[in-house]
Amino acid sequence: MSDDHSASSAERPINTAAMAAFGSEGDGPGSRATKKQVISWAMWDWALQPFNTVILTFVWIALYLTSRQFLDPAVRESGLIGSDTYMSCTDKQYIDSAYCQGLTDLSEWWGWANFAAGILILLLAPVLGQQADARGNKKKWVIGATIAIALFQFALFFVEADPKYFWFGALAVAIGAVVSEIGNVSYYAMLSEVSTPKNVGRISGLGWGLGYIGGVVALIVCIPVLFLVGQDNPLSFKLVAVICAVWTIVFSIPMFRNVPESPAYDTSEKVGFLRSYVVLFHNIAKLFRTNRPTFWFMLAAAVYRDGLAGVFAFGAVLAAQGFGFSFLEVIVFGLAANLVAGVSTLLAGRVDDAIGPRRLITITLAGLVAMAFVVFALRDLGTIVFWICGLALCAFVGPTQAASRSLLTRLTPPDQQGEIFGLYATTGRVASFLSPLAWSLFLAWFGAIIYGVLGIGLILLIGLVLLLFVRFPKNVGV
């Protein structure tokens, strides 16, 4: 993976205009952004975080949808080994039981639902980004996605604790993740409207940091409901979904009111939806010819961001079903994980601007790979291994995400922001397809949830190796 110095002079402006995503030092749209607009932009991360933290990661999926409440009643009863005491699927004598295999199946099926969602993102996100760029309606896409995500969360109120409702709940959450990524296409592309080359790392980190801290607050808000209504009462999880939906709507309002709409770029071709695929492939080919660093970086990011997606999508499932975390332990771990991730991401924004996003990504990816394989190797030591390594994973994930967004923004020409961030979103976060595929295949092959962490670690390792081969131009400060 290297720079191509043979591009014609007519195509070179894409390469040299990378930092023009912000304009020159003081004349870009971001240089005119007010503090209120910057904070309002970052608040969208805060608004969407309950969906990611409470629904996808620590509560709704891990403690409800993939729990014994969705097993066949006979299988669920077979797991009882005492009064209200169930088998621990970390115990080797129970791993092959019908009860533990049933829980493994639920986790595997959740992985396949995520895989299907990732395919939808692969097909839709780049084209929708190109459409948003050409029409100058990125903000409208963000608003539409926000409303849709809220509606999907409201729909979770109707998911009963019954095996017949498993796929309704799984698909509602997975499709919500698709919509979230589609919203992120335009949200990421609006970063250049509120930042400059000098502060893009800090502002990108501010968004991620507020998101993680918002996850802590959202968990705290939901805890009384979970404990007062009861952790074995499906109503508690239904009410949590409603709380998250209301949160999403309320805290998105500052972004809708205060951040201006991004303009349409004159060079973006206005075409119909199906024709957008032709334009998309033409632009990919042009990007490959004229801006190899951006092309190869997106290929590497396509892999390692799937690994990051797996950490979020399956981390709490691994803790609850693989390491036997109790209900309270999962909640406390969720609070600690988001706090660690939020603080590390806020600090990493300044490190990004100091040493460059590429170095930061390399360091954090190496830490992620190491922690994933340590979790598997030391699994017999019990929950303490997941506590230590899991929190270390969280400290690395946020900075990797924020620095990746910062790096791509620095590399991307102004008239390709939505389109290229659409490509970026095809492999991004909990809805991408490689990580869910690796998770589900490892569970199917080895028959135990703990093996899923090897699939996630493998994806992260491949992404890190690919990144190390990317050669970036020296004039963009990566």
Side-chain angles (χ1 to χ4, degrees):
M1 301 178 186
S2 61
D3 290 322
D4 182 8
H5 299 287
S6 63
S8 67
S9 59
E11 292 176 322
R12 285 188 184 280
I14 290 181
N15 210 12
T16 58
M19 287 304 289
F22 312 91
S24 59
E25 289 295 322
D27 64 358
S31 64
R32 298 186 292 272
T34 65
K35 184 176 181 180
K36 182 178 181 180
Q37 289 172 333
V38 169
I39 295 175
S40 296
W41 176 86
M43 281 296 294
W44 197 75
D45 269 314
W46 171 286
L48 268 288
Q49 196 60 28
F51 178 74
N52 295 317
T53 300
V54 178
I55 301 297
L56 279 167
T57 306
F58 292 109
V59 177
W60 209 87
I61 293 295
L63 297 176
Y64 186 50
L65 192 67
T66 59
S67 75
R68 60 177 176 264
Q69 295 194 55
F70 284 83
L71 293 176
D72 180 90
V75 175
R76 182 169 61 246
E77 292 302 316
S78 73
L80 275 172
I81 56 177
S83 178
D84 296 326
T85 302
Y86 285 84
M87 296 176 180
S88 171
C89 293
T90 57
D91 192 325
K92 292 181 180 179
Q93 66 176 314
Y94 297 131
I95 287 178
D96 294 328
S97 67
Y99 175 77
C100 290
Q101 287 301 304
L103 292 178
T104 299
D105 288 342
L106 291 176
S107 297
E108 180 187 337
W109 297 340
W110 167 234
W112 289 122
N114 271 273
F115 173 74
I119 296 299
L120 284 178
I121 291 176
L122 175 65
L123 296 175
L124 295 177
V127 170
L128 294 179
Q130 191 273 342
Q131 292 278 308
D133 247 354
R135 289 165 170 73
N137 58 2
K138 299 182 185 75
K139 184 176 177 180
K140 292 179 181 178
W141 277 103
V142 175
I143 294 174
T146 304
I147 294 172
I149 292 166
L151 290 176
F152 278 114
Q153 290 177 106
F154 279 124
L156 299 180
F157 181 83
F158 301 100
V159 178
E160 302 292 341
D162 188 302
K164 294 184 295 185
Y165 285 84
F166 175 85
W167 284 107
F168 172 67
L171 292 177
V173 177
I175 295 173
V178 173
V179 176
S180 176
E181 279 303 321
I182 290 172
N184 275 315
V185 172
S186 295
Y187 175 66
Y188 290 171
M190 293 176 71
L191 177 58
S192 63
E193 302 296 321
V194 295
S195 64
T196 67
K198 290 184 177 180
N199 64 17
V200 59
R202 288 192 294 274
I203 293 177
S204 179
L206 174 65
W208 283 114
L210 280 177
Y212 284 121
I213 295 172
V216 172
V217 177
L219 278 173
I220 292 173
V221 170
C222 293
I223 285 173
V225 175
L226 293 167
F227 279 95
L228 291 176
V229 179
Q231 65 190 59
D232 293 323
N233 188 340
L235 179 61
S236 64
F237 296 97
K238 295 181 177 185
L239 293 176
V240 161
V242 172
I243 291 171
C244 291
V246 173
W247 178 296
T248 296
I249 293 173
V250 171
F251 289 109
S252 294
I253 293 174
M255 195 270 196
F256 299 160
R257 294 187 60 183
N258 301 323
V259 179
E261 176 67 90
S262 298
Y265 291 104
D266 293 336
T267 56
S268 296
E269 185 179 355
K270 297 179 177 65
V271 297
F273 183 82
L274 294 179
R275 177 67 180 172
S276 292
Y277 287 95
V278 177
V279 174
L280 170 65
F281 286 114
H282 171 77
N283 288 335
I284 291 175
K286 184 177 180 181
L287 180 66
F288 179 79
R289 294 193 306 269
T290 63
N291 198 344
R292 293 285 176 88
T294 301
F295 178 89
W296 289 121
F297 166 68
M298 292 207 329
L299 178 62
V303 178
Y304 74 69
R305 290 179 71 241
D306 279 332
L308 301 181
V311 173
F312 282 107
F314 308 112
V317 174
L318 181 64
Q321 313 303 340
F323 278 87
F325 272 40
S326 67
F327 177 87
L328 181 59
E329 284 177 315
V330 172
I331 296 297
V332 173
F333 181 84
L335 291 170
N338 276 274
L339 184 60
V340 168
V343 172
S344 66
T345 305
L346 289 172
L347 294 176
R350 296 187 179 276
V351 177
D352 178 320
D353 290 330
I355 69 173
R358 185 195 184 179
R359 291 188 183 91
L360 180 57
I361 295 168
T362 302
I363 293 169
T364 54
L365 278 180
L368 283 162
V369 171
M371 291 301 100
F373 287 100
V374 168
V375 164
F376 180 81
L378 302 181
R379 62 191 183 278
D380 290 338
L381 296 180
T383 58
I384 186 63
V385 173
F386 195 89
W387 270 103
I388 296 174
C389 295
L391 291 179
L393 280 165
C394 294
F396 292 131
V397 167
T400 306
Q401 292 173 316
S404 297
R405 186 162 67 183
S406 168
L407 193 157
L408 189 60
T409 304
R410 294 170 191 257
L411 288 171
T412 303
D415 62 341
Q416 292 181 304
Q417 286 279 309
E419 172 197 333
I420 288 180
F421 273 105
L423 288 172
Y424 186 65
T426 64
T427 56
R429 303 175 71 185
V430 273
S432 63
F433 65 92
L434 287 178
S435 181
L437 179 62
W439 169 272
S440 294
L441 287 178
F442 271 69
L443 264 61
W445 288 336
F446 298 104
I449 295 173
I450 186 61
Y451 285 92
V453 75
L454 291 181
I456 305 303
L458 180 61
I459 298 297
L460 289 166
L461 178 60
I462 295 172
L464 172 59
V465 172
L466 291 174
L467 179 67
L468 293 176
F469 282 97
V470 180
R471 292 175 57 189
F472 295 98
K474 296 180 180 179
N475 64 329
V476 296
V478 300

